[in-house]
Amino acid sequence: MFTATRAEYGLLRPVLAAMEASAIIRPLLIVAGAHLSPRHGATLAEIEADGRRPAALVPAPMAGDDGLSAARDMGATLSGCAEAYTALDLDAVVILGDRTEALAAAAAAVPLGLPILHLEGGHRTAGAVDDAIRHAITKLAALHFTAAEPYRRRLLQMGEAPERVFTVGSTGVDNLTAFGRSTPAEASAVTGLDLPPGFLLVTFHPETLGALSPRGQIDAFLAGLASVEDRVILITLPNADAGAGAIREAITAFAAARPDRVRIAESLGARGYVAALTACAAVVGNSSSGMMEAPAAGVPVVNVGDRQAGRLRSPGIIDCPLEAGAVADAITRALSPTFQAMARSQPALFDDGHAGERIVSILEATDLKGLARKPFVDLDGV
């Protein structure tokens, strides 16, 4: 199992736990990317705090946050993963999501004839380069585990064989089930931060296909967020995407000007993030957790810009353009009693919190030998 970021590891935790409980499957964890980077929180410590020892470490330079640096990191990750896969004599590799590191990890498996088991394919995120990466991994993967039936149908449209695509739900919802709900006091205790009732949970990543520069994006977003003057704001810093450096700098300055109301966290960990998400008054920004986990928890969401354009949406999500006034207005609406009540009443879109168990049950019944040789299913009449 491959992981390179804090968010990805959090989503893999339920699958790892189910694998560790299996009498048939022996999971090995390959840790790469931002987990090993002091600039990005060195979140290997979170993995080790869970009592897990990586079977292999795959470092990358992580020297910058531009496209060239990302490409260099992909090269190092591809080479390192190929070495790790060979040394560990794997039967298959589990890869989640759509990041550049995940594409490198998938590409490394192809010449080795190693089957790829892909989680969270079929989404659409039109505002980010992740969209193309996710679909590329789909075409490399041998088995697919999707979060919802529309995503499964999208993979069938891409030529994947129906018997290889399984709708299992979202492992992010598994984490909500496992950790349960927290009060603001409990979230404060778990995170070590002062989070009074009514606080906002904010995450903003670069919109990598956006018309504005990353600095222009975050300036517009923070100008809207600045309208919130009567609540504490907890901001989690962005992943190691191209352009993230400018966003980090702007958030740091924003917080420094409001030390009494703004908290910053490099990483909350899976437990801390779920505690903050279930205790907050609203989630604001452009994180995928606002599309999936927050609605499942009944928490209102302000989704800003186009990064998540194309994903399934709950009525509890307010989409707004990346403009200061629109962000401010959307936050006001999300915090209204009427909208809060409506968001709490919506059914979950991504199943019941047992995705990890379903994935492992399917893998226990699957013969992995020869799986890398995959068919292509043409559409009727083509």
Side-chain angles (χ1 to χ4, degrees):
M1 183 174 289
F2 173 85
T3 177
T5 72
R6 68 193 187 202
E8 171 194 67
Y9 173 69
L11 293 172
L12 287 170
R13 288 177 84 258
V15 186
L16 267 171
M19 286 182 169
E20 289 162 350
S22 171
I24 298 173
I25 297 173
R26 176 175 169 246
L28 298 173
L29 197 57
I30 297 171
V31 177
H35 286 308
L36 309 178
S37 169
R39 287 181 61 234
H40 301 93
T43 47
L44 172 60
E46 294 178 11
I47 296 172
E48 293 174 334
D50 282 345
R52 296 188 169 106
R53 182 182 295 275
L57 301 178
V58 179
M62 305 291 290
D65 68 345
D66 58 349
L68 178 58
S69 295
R72 287 170 173 160
D73 293 338
M74 289 177 70
T77 301
L78 193 158
S79 177
C81 281
E83 296 284 352
Y85 298 162
T86 303
L88 295 173
D89 191 25
L90 302 179
D91 296 309
V93 59
V94 176
I95 296 174
L96 183 144
D98 47 32
R99 293 186 55 79
T100 53
E101 307 95 331
L103 179 57
V110 173
L112 302 178
L114 188 63
I116 297 164
L117 318 178
H118 187 212
L119 280 61
E120 299 290 357
H123 294 264
R124 285 280 287 123
T125 52
V129 70
D130 300 4
D131 203 45
I133 291 172
R134 184 185 312 106
H135 299 326
I137 297 173
T138 288
K139 296 313 302 177
L140 298 177
L143 281 185
H144 311 272
F145 300 96
T146 65
E149 189 61 23
Y151 297 156
R152 178 179 185 272
R153 292 198 299 270
R154 188 169 283 144
L155 297 197
L156 301 185
Q157 180 183 338
M158 293 170 67
E160 298 305 298
E163 67 272 15
R164 291 180 176 230
V165 187
F166 303 91
T167 298
V168 295
S170 169
T171 56
V173 181
D174 289 23
N175 283 330
L176 296 177
T177 301
F179 294 130
R181 290 187 171 276
S182 294
T183 64
E186 290 166 341
S188 298
V190 170
T191 63
L193 301 168
D194 178 19
L195 302 173
F199 75 93
L200 302 182
L201 177 59
V202 174
T203 306
F204 190 89
H205 299 296
E207 196 173 288
T208 48
L209 295 180
L212 292 175
S213 68
R215 185 67 199 214
Q217 294 170 27
I218 190 61
D219 284 349
F221 175 68
L222 292 178
L225 191 62
S227 67
V228 180
E229 298 180 339
D230 58 347
R231 294 171 184 265
V232 163
I233 301 171
L234 169 58
I235 306 178
T236 62
L237 292 174
N239 288 324
D241 291 308
I247 289 176
R248 285 169 171 263
E249 291 174 4
I251 289 173
T252 300
F254 181 84
R258 301 162 178 82
D260 57 328
R261 292 192 298 106
V262 179
R263 326 279 189 251
I264 294 179
E266 179 69 56
S267 174
L268 295 170
R271 175 70 183 93
Y273 188 80
V274 169
L277 184 147
T278 56
C280 72
V283 168
V284 182
N286 61 7
S287 170
S288 61
S289 64
M291 300 289 101
M292 302 179 75
E293 289 95 321
V299 176
V301 176
V302 173
N303 177 60
V304 180
D306 290 333
R307 184 179 172 93
Q308 302 300 336
R311 287 195 192 265
L312 292 178
R313 272 162 169 69
S314 162
I317 297 170
I318 300 170
D319 293 306
C320 72
L322 188 49
E323 300 167 0
V327 173
D329 290 346
I331 292 172
T332 298
R333 181 183 168 200
L335 294 174
S336 70
T338 300
F339 197 89
Q340 294 265 319
M342 184 275 291
R344 287 193 295 270
S345 70
Q346 297 304 309
L349 295 177
F350 300 104
D351 230 307
D352 57 359
H354 297 281
E357 297 167 20
R358 292 191 185 95
I359 291 167
V360 170
S361 178
I362 292 165
L363 292 179
E364 287 177 334
T366 299
D367 182 1
L368 297 176
K369 293 179 180 177
L371 201 62
R373 183 173 180 174
K374 56 184 280 188
F376 187 99
V377 180
D378 287 315
L379 296 174
D380 292 342
V382 175

